């Protein structure tokens, strides 16, 4: 009678077919189990290796989740080429890490610019303010990866670092402190599908990028050149049916050329603001303003409550300004014309046009080619 089980078999298959799990999956299904393959096709000595590997995982304080475990991430299980197992380093349970929040991946160049850093921070902070804050997934590398992980931690968001090494190897060394914070922060983790003692090699990152795209429901490319891991992750996201977003950049900046090409090819949706990203992801973005006493008041994305708008306008124009009822009327009837505003507020048409022009110049109202007025929400 065999002393091995499906977890041991999955660990062995992960070692043997980690680069191409799709090539062996049909045979597993035909055989009825992973373990059955070692009865007649594969070298059973690999099972003994897997037993020792899993023992080292346990001694190191890590976990191995096989494709056949209930705790295995559901987003990976649904892939056409799921890894047979992933190694996990974190203080939270797999359920807390993988199942409680939607996951959004941020990827980009290691050679980031101040523009890329600022937009990465702005977008992650925007998602932290969303009605449904997500888990941020990235690759623990220098550049955009590190900024997205660090910003997530600062904003109280859980974050997952997908590694291209064994679970006990932290690469790059500059991120050892960041990695420790992630391991001991609620809902955060380091994950990899590489066996222990795997060192960093250039080709390892291809497989790592596949896991990033697979875990997340959406991938955001912040800054990327025309070649590199970010575009590879974007291609995986496209293949897996994940939503793909890109931050546009200057046409003459090589660090944004990859993002611009994704947008031009209509592979990625363009990002214009943190609120737009949260809304596009269906996370219900929120707005914030400082209320009385200086505390932050939050409200769900969409038109701000009347009292919020009134308070901001009062602070800006004074309590008796005629601009306040005008802006409130526009808020109540998006797309209202100047003629309708004149009738509703019993004010001369020329005066309404002048006031709308003031609000538009201040970035509070926008008008379209037909003269229809709408509130510009980002000023709140």
């Amino acid at each position: 009678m065999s002393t091995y089980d499906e977890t041991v078999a999955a660990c062995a298959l992960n070692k043997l077919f980690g680069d191409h799990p799709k090539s062996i999956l049909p045979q597993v299904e035909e055989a009825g189990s992973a373990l059955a393959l070692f009865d007649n096709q594969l070298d059973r000595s690999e099972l003994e290796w897997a037993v020792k590997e899993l023992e080292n995982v346990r001694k190191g304080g890590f976990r191995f989740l096989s494709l056949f475990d209930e705790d295995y991430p559901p987003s990976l299980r649904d892939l056409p080429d799921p890894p047979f197992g992933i190694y996990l380093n974190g203080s939270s349970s797999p359920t807390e890490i993988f199942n409680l929040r939607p996951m959004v991946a941020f990827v980009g160049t290691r050679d980031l610019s101040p523009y890329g850093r600022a937009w990465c921070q702005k977008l992650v902070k925007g998602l932290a303010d969303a009605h449904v804050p997500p888990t941020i997934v990235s690759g623990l590398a220098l550049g955009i990866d590190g900024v997205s992980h660090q910003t997530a931690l600062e904003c109280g968001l859980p974050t997952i670092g997908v590694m291209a090494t064994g679970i006990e190897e932290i690469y790059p060394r500059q991120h050892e402190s960041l990695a420790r914070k992630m391991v001991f922060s609620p809902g955060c983790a380091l994950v990899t599908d590489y066996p222990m003692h795997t060192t960093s090699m250039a080709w390892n990152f291809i497989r790592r990028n596949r896991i990033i795209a697979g875990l997340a429901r959406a991938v955001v490319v912040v800054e990327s050149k025309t070649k590199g891991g970010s575009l590879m992750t974007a291609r995986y996201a496209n293949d897996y049916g994940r939503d793909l977003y890109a931050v546009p950049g200057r046409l003459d900046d090589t660090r944004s050329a990859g993002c611009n090409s994704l947008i031009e090819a209509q592979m990625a949706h363009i990002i214009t603001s943190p609120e737009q990203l949260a809304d596009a992801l269906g996370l219900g973005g929120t707005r914030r303003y400082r209320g009385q006493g200086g505390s932050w008041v939050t409200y769900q994305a969409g038109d701000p409550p009347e009292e919020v708008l009134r308070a901001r306008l009062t602070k800006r124009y004074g309590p008796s300004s005629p601009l306040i009822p005008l802006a409130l009327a526009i808020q109540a009837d998006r797309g209202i014309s100047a003629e309708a505003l004149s009738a509703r507020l019993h004010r001369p048409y020329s005066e309404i046009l002048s006031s709308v022009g003031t609000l538009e110049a201040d970035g509070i109202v926008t008008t379209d080619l037909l003269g229809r007025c709408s509130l510009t929400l980002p000023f709140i």
Side-chain angles (χ1 to χ4, degrees), residues 175-327:
H175 281 169
E176 286 185 347
S177 177
L178 174 62
R180 283 195 298 272
K181 291 179 184 177
M182 293 167 65
V183 166
F184 293 106
S185 296
C188 300
L190 304 178
V191 303
T192 182
D193 69 329
Y194 279 104
M196 292 185 69
H197 308 301
T198 300
T199 57
S200 176
M201 306 293 285
W203 51 82
N204 289 6
F205 290 90
I206 298 175
R207 186 162 141 184
R208 187 277 308 260
N209 295 337
R210 167 175 139 260
I211 304 301
I212 293 175
L215 277 174
R217 59 178 283 187
V219 173
V220 179
V221 187
V222 177
E223 202 171 39
S224 173
K225 299 179 181 179
T226 54
K227 293 183 179 180
S230 300
L231 291 195
M232 190 171 299
T233 307
R235 285 193 288 271
Y236 277 124
N238 190 60
D239 291 343
Y240 292 156
R242 304 315 195 223
D243 292 333
L244 184 60
Y245 299 87
V247 175
R250 291 201 320 260
L251 296 179
D252 60 352
D253 189 344
T254 58
R255 286 173 290 199
S256 287
C259 291
N260 293 339
S261 68
L262 289 173
I263 295 169
E264 181 183 17
Q266 298 184 346
M267 288 180 60
H269 302 286
I270 189 171
I271 295 175
T272 57
S273 71
E275 295 81 12
Q276 176 249 351
L277 176 61
D279 291 343
L281 292 171
L283 302 179
T286 62
R287 311 280 179 173
R288 302 198 299 172
Y289 81 104
R290 286 196 183 276
Q292 293 183 349
S295 61
W296 283 105
V297 178
T298 64
Y299 54 95
Q300 193 166 342
D303 286 349
E306 179 180 324
E307 62 270 20
V308 176
L309 180 58
R310 186 185 296 276
R312 295 293 285 173
L313 292 170
T314 298
K315 181 177 180 180
R316 189 161 190 165
Y317 299 112
S320 59
S321 172
L323 297 176
I324 296 176
L326 177 61

Side-chain angles (χ1 to χ4, degrees), residues 94-138:
T95 296
E96 293 173 298
I97 295 167
F98 299 117
N99 294 337
L100 298 186
R101 299 169 182 253
M103 289 185 271
V104 179
F106 278 75
V107 297
T109 182
R110 290 169 172 77
D111 179 30
L112 81 169
S113 69
Y115 170 85
R117 178 183 295 276
W119 266 100
C120 184
Q121 293 171 331
K122 186 181 299 186
L123 292 173
V124 173
K125 289 177 181 177
L127 294 183
D129 285 338
H131 186 62
V132 183
T135 293
I136 303 301
V137 180
S138 198

